[in-house]
Amino acid sequence: MKWDRLQELNARQAAAVTATEGRVRVIAGAGTGKTKALTYRYAYLVNVLGIDPANILCLTFTNKAAAEMRSRIARMVHSGDYNDFVCTIDGFCVKLLRRDIHRIGFPKTFTILDEDDSRAYARACMEELGIKRTEKTVKDFLAQVSAAKALDDYITTYMLPGVKWTEGMLSSPVACYIHRQMKHYALDFDDLERVANYILDHFEDARTWWQEQLNYIMVDEAQDCNADNWQIVEKLAAGHGNLFVVGDPDQAIYEWRGARPERFTQFASSQDVVLDENYRSTPKILDVANSVISHNRNRIPKNLFTRSAEGKAVIHYHGKNETEEMEWVAAQVRLLLEGGAAPGDVAVLYRASYLSRALEQALLDAKIPYAIWGGTRFFERKEVKDALSYLRLVNDTGDDLSFERIVNVPSRKIGKKFLDGLKERAGREGLPLFAVLKACVAEGGAVRTGAEDFVRMIEEACAAVPESTVSDLLNFLLERSGLKRALREDQDEERLENVDELLRSVRFYETSHGEDDVRLSDYLQDIALYTNQDYRKDTPTVKLMTVHQAKGLEFPYVFVIGLSEGVFPSMRTIREYKKNGEEEERRLMYVAVTRAQRALFLTESEGYNVSTKMSKYPSRFLAEIRRDMFVTEGVMPESLWRGTENMRHVLDEERWGSRVEASEGDPFATERAAYFSPFQAGDTVVHDIFGTGTVVGVNKEGSTFQVRFADGSTRHLRADFLRREDLPE
Ligand code: ATP
Ligand code: MG
């Protein structure tokens, strides 16, 4: 039977769609219609071959991508004809387990632990095992459990019915953790895939049932599958042998989570389809994309082309500070909306979620409705709300809502029963909760030391209000309350970055309002404007998201913000994964750029960065794009590119090794300066005007250097005005 929708595809896509049998691989760059081919293939199987959707498994990575895929498919197949085998891999494992987990003695109603649950389990186990939080962080504990689960046949050892638990067994972290899991029949994310694999391996009838059920299997974004994912897919496909995998090695961005892109590049296929025509973006956008990714050494060279019209120039905006950067973005969005774009046509992408704060404030000021895709607004994030509640309570000790929120955050062992007692007495005596707690402490008796300390801290802070700045107060509370310590102990970097960002935004607020004039109550009142914004659910919104969240999606207008060295590429990734880290970050940049259909805006600004604790310079990824491929707006001193080059040099792998050695016994006070400052004491540097000199000191942030020149003079200079002797101008 002929199917006219095949005409909507190019010849290669049509070949991929109609090659329904065997092992087929589509390997192609961004926006070439891979997902389109996959969804059309699904419709082809149903509408032309008459396959029941219940027999087609269609997998992808994020819930958003799965939802998008379902809706594309729903438009092509008769309604009711698509079922929920269009899902994420984890989603599929849950379905498999709901049917078959009874084989290992679990009920169908088993529970799934999210990350917070897992952390709570870990904390409880650490307490049980007497492991101090100073010895090991919760994150380390979980990593240890996860590693043990990857190595051992832990399912046989601990999870099967009939396992005899002995006292001795419980002394190991993994056993203690699983023992707790078994009490609640709970599985964590690691387990979902492992247990599914176990069942497919050990229960032949279950395996055969699924193999017979799933006549056709398709996987989108296959470059991001990890080893467990591949095993599941291969086991299921071993029945009918029809496996269709689609991917782009240049978009592999999950190696840090164990993805194995080489399983995709080395996939044993019976047919390969290569797509190279991009239908998404303008040639100008593609030039930038090709230019970015061409700097990766570990890749098969390929270039995208398009036949679409030239389009608008790619714009790079440089702001003097972050506020200027975000105000510019908001102004551009406003122009786009006035020009007829719908809010949903605009997406703003960033590398790390703390970067949304400055942008959100600019959008709120400009009255542009926005939504954070797959995340929470900055001022609604738990750690930010907690920190602000401390300030609120200090501002007004009668604020019971804030009191309740933080009295036991971080844990002071104040239980619900004790709180209920407080509330009851507060009601009786007509007093705020804090006043009652204070009275309890004064009366002595059975009050927890944590509660006593809490009262003392709030009182100290209250007493300090008249002569402290808001930022000092916040800093004091963050440290003294143990809020930051708890986040550090959990190595919860994202939340730490968010509280640091909050602190930084308070400092900025003070500088822009004249430091001495800012009263705590004024600040809190102002900030309430940002925290209480509510849109109706159906208001169309501009979308803000991390680049990881944006994978597979497309938008007419895309802004990539915060393009500073150390932010994007992320210093942390480069520090941990060195050269591979840089290449993965560059692929991420390629993903970001290739989301844009009609216009692309790349922005960054000067200033101080909270996460790197350094001055900001433009990202190396911007520096790598050929200069005639974008137009720069804003006043951009050329010397800043030199700062980029210097920073990059420091983060470079070989330099790294020699630097750590050289830092032994060096005069730089902080470890950070030794690791991340572009220059160290003793380095020879060149200044355009003052000539050659030697670095003799650095300021605390590692951004300004004291240099002694040949004539004996010493000057404090910024990194972007200096270059290494061995670097060309
Ligand atoms: P990514 O790598 O980002 O996941 P992709 O390769 O999956 O991209 P799609 O999202 O399938 O690409 O397609 C990109 C855009 O190009 C979509 O808007 C799609 O409708 C359009 N497109 C794909 N193929 C064609 C075609 N043959 N004719 C016209 N438009 C097409
Ligand atoms: Mg796709």
Side-chain angles (χ1 to χ4, degrees), residues 29-36 38 60 65 69 72 220-221 246-247 251 280 551-554 595:
T32 52
K34 296 184 297 295
T35 304
K36 178 160 181 160
L38 187 133
T60 183
M69 208 177 241
R72 285 202 205 179
D220 199 4
E221 308 271 7
V246 168
Q251 294 185 69
R280 178 179 292 151
K551 199 169 76 146
L553 307 177
E554 59 189 14
R595 300 307 97 201

Side-chain angles (χ1 to χ4, degrees), residues 20 32 123 241 250 261 285 379:
T20 57
T32 52
R123 273 188 217 109
D250 283 338
I285 294 168
F379 286 107

Side-chain angles (χ1 to χ4, degrees), residues 629-643:
M629 289 180 175
F630 60 87
V631 176
T632 297
E633 284 191 16
V635 185
M636 163 94 183
E638 271 300 302
S639 64
L640 283 185
W641 293 116
R642 197 179 287 160

Side-chain angles (χ1 to χ4, degrees), residues 120-131 141 173 176-177 180:
Y121 269 39
R123 273 188 217 109
C125 288
M126 286 169 74
E127 195 152 301
E128 216 168 294
L129 297 172
I131 303 173
F141 184 90
C176 183
Y177 182 91
R180 198 162 273 270

Side-chain angles (χ1 to χ4, degrees), residues 603-705:
T603 74
E604 45 81 36
S605 52
E606 287 169 59
Y608 178 72
N609 179 266
V610 264
S611 121
T612 61
K613 312 252 185 305
M614 290 275 299
S615 296
K616 294 195 294 183
Y617 298 103
S619 164
R620 70 184 69 182
F621 298 152
L622 271 176
E624 286 167 0
I625 303 169
R626 244 182 43 210
R627 295 293 280 280
D628 59 342
M629 289 180 175
F630 60 87
V631 176
T632 297
E633 284 191 16
V635 185
M636 163 94 183
E638 271 300 302
S639 64
L640 283 185
W641 293 116
R642 197 179 287 160
T644 304
E645 194 52 40
N646 285 336
M647 282 277 285
R648 173 190 193 132
H649 214 68
V650 180
L651 290 172
D652 187 278
E653 195 178 4
E654 293 82 18
R655 286 272 157 179
W656 176 267
S658 64
R659 242 146 225 282
V660 176
E661 262 169 53
S663 73
E664 262 171 21
D666 85 18
F668 288 53
T670 62
E671 180 194 35
R672 189 169 290 284
Y675 275 36
F676 300 121
S677 84
F679 310 110
Q680 288 185 37
D683 281 357
T684 306
V685 290
V686 182
H687 184 274
D688 283 345
I689 295 165
F690 305 126
T692 305
T694 311
V695 176
V696 292
V698 66
N699 70 345
K700 207 165 78 238
E701 273 113 40
S703 54
T704 318
F705 297 87

